[in-house]
Amino acid sequence: VLWQPIDCYSDILYHKAAGIAKITINRPHKRNAFRPQTIAEMSHAFEDARNDPSIGVVLLTGAGPHTDGKYAFCAGGDQSIRGEAGYLDAQGVARLNVLDLQRQIRSLPKVVIALVAGYAIGGGHVLHLVCDLTIAAENAIFGQTGPRVGSFDGGFGASYLARIVGQKKAREIWFLCRQYTAAQALEMGLVNTVVPVAELEAEGVRWAKEILGHSPLAIRCLKSAFNADCDGQAGLQELAGNATLLYYLSQESAEGKQAFLEKRPPNFQQFPWRP
Ligand code: 2NE
């Protein structure tokens, strides 16, 4: 695909091509660890992808390899700017805005695919976790470090991880802070497939194109249905929001609005009470 660069960011790259948006975390000297600015830029790009009706799939990846030859998807929060109450932005305000980004990715009504080469560690691991699908390169390495570096993610990072790999494995991942290979990640259902690193983006584009050939509304409703199972009232709100969207698209719903605007009683008798 021929990627078109979109906007000018400092910490990320943002491209679009043929129904696909690509967000690349671009701090390879830090193994793509994020600071509040990185998250704000990612959030901005995701919002753009959401609002662009030509986009159906977003690829999330990390720039690399770095000059030392190593790859990273994301190594989590940038520990060098960690303050007392979170990660410090340019104004010195401590933030954990990655948590907002996690929810944004989950509730994005489009498919988000993580393309992981090298390290997906700590908060970076949780980022791939909340994506709908993960394609890993053979050199991908997964793990949580929180209890070793004085942090933890007890939200999606714990409970959603346990939904994916099971309670025992999730507790092992967090309590022992080990690193896992792409093959091990595939074995535990943490990723969808593993490909050679040179094939990673092309495979992501192949998966995206396959998805783009399918019904946008069906995919949208399925994503919110999968979320509803885990996300409580917020998940139900998403699913129900899609029901409202579909209802608005019906003649039956339009009749209610039209009757109000024409100051007449609505004629709902023309519509069946379906079995
Ligand atoms: C990722 C890993 C295992 C890579 O190891 P290696 O040996 O390949 O690279 P190295 O030398 O450690 O890192 C290369 C450069 O990147 C920086 C390093 O400091 C180093 O910089 P220089 O010495 O060359 O100047 N770097 C890497 N990760 C960084 C980070 N997260 N923050 C700042 N600088 C980083 C290895 O680097 C590693 O273990 N990194 C730390 C992973 C980690 O603990 N992340 C934070 C978890 S907590 C979190 O993300 C979080 C949360 O738990 C809850 C809410 C929000 C965030």
Side-chain angles (χ1 to χ4, degrees):
V1 293
L2 215 59
W3 295 111
Q4 298 293 326
I6 310 289
D7 274 349
C8 211
Y9 296 103
S10 69
D11 288 15
I12 68 164
L13 304 171
Y14 183 40
H15 294 89
K16 290 182 190 174
I20 309 169
K22 182 175 65 160
I23 298 171
T24 307
I25 307 172
N26 191 23
R27 306 185 79 218
H29 60 294
K30 294 257 185 185
R31 302 280 186 253
N32 293 321
F34 55 78
R35 54 181 179 170
Q37 173 76 16
T38 322
I39 299 297
E41 292 182 3
M42 290 168 77
S43 181
H44 187 270
F46 271 110
E47 186 61 15
D48 176 85
R50 176 178 188 150
N51 290 327
D52 184 341
S54 75
I55 297 296
V57 177
V58 183
L59 304 178
L60 176 60
T61 193
H66 183 45
T67 48
D68 64 3
K70 286 198 175 179
Y71 287 80
F73 171 74
C74 176
D78 186 331
Q79 298 304 296
S80 67
I81 47 119
R82 198 171 127 190
E84 278 184 2
Y87 298 85
L88 301 175
D89 69 12
Q91 286 72 43
V93 178
R95 298 188 186 280
L96 283 167
N97 54 348
V98 71
L99 304 179
D100 301 313
L101 180 69
Q102 293 172 3
R103 289 202 306 278
Q104 187 181 4
I105 292 172
R106 264 184 90 72
S107 60
L108 199 88
K110 303 179 177 189
V111 178
V112 184
I113 306 178
L115 303 182
V116 178
Y119 294 104
I121 296 282
H125 184 257
V126 181
L127 275 184
H128 103 83
L129 198 67
V130 297
C131 293
D132 298 294
L133 302 165
T134 297
I135 301 176
E138 285 165 348
N139 67 0
I141 297 171
F142 300 86
Q144 299 296 159
T145 60
R148 199 171 62 225
V149 298
S151 181
F152 67 93
D153 182 338
F156 289 120
S159 57
Y160 190 52
L161 178 66
R163 292 275 184 134
I164 292 174
V165 301
Q167 284 282 342
K168 294 281 183 186
K169 203 72 197 176
R171 287 168 201 233
E172 173 192 313
I173 289 169
W174 273 103
F175 295 170
L176 279 73
C177 296
R178 286 183 182 168
Q179 294 182 351
Y180 300 84
T181 64
Q184 288 171 312
L186 186 64
E187 166 82 24
M188 65 175 111
L190 196 54
V191 305
N192 295 88
T193 190
V194 179
V195 296
V197 66
E199 284 291 307
L200 185 60
E201 183 173 301
E203 187 70 6
V205 169
R206 264 193 292 279
W207 283 51
K209 284 185 171 167
E210 229 174 296
I211 292 164
L212 289 169
H214 297 148
S215 158
L217 278 173
I219 301 281
R220 180 190 181 103
C221 289
L222 279 166
K223 176 161 176 172
S224 62
F226 284 120
N227 286 354
D229 182 43
C230 308
D231 292 2
Q233 296 253 336
L236 288 175
Q237 185 215 33
E238 259 175 53
L239 187 61
N242 285 332
T244 307
L245 164 64
L246 291 170
Y247 180 56
Y248 270 33
L249 291 170
S250 73
Q251 288 184 351
E252 184 177 328
S253 163
E255 166 60 12
K257 177 196 73 174
Q258 209 51 37
F260 175 81
L261 293 176
E262 292 169 6
K263 300 189 185 304
R264 61 172 172 81
N267 174 14
F268 285 123
Q269 282 67 45
Q270 59 184 309
F271 302 108
W273 295 87
R274 298 181 193 279

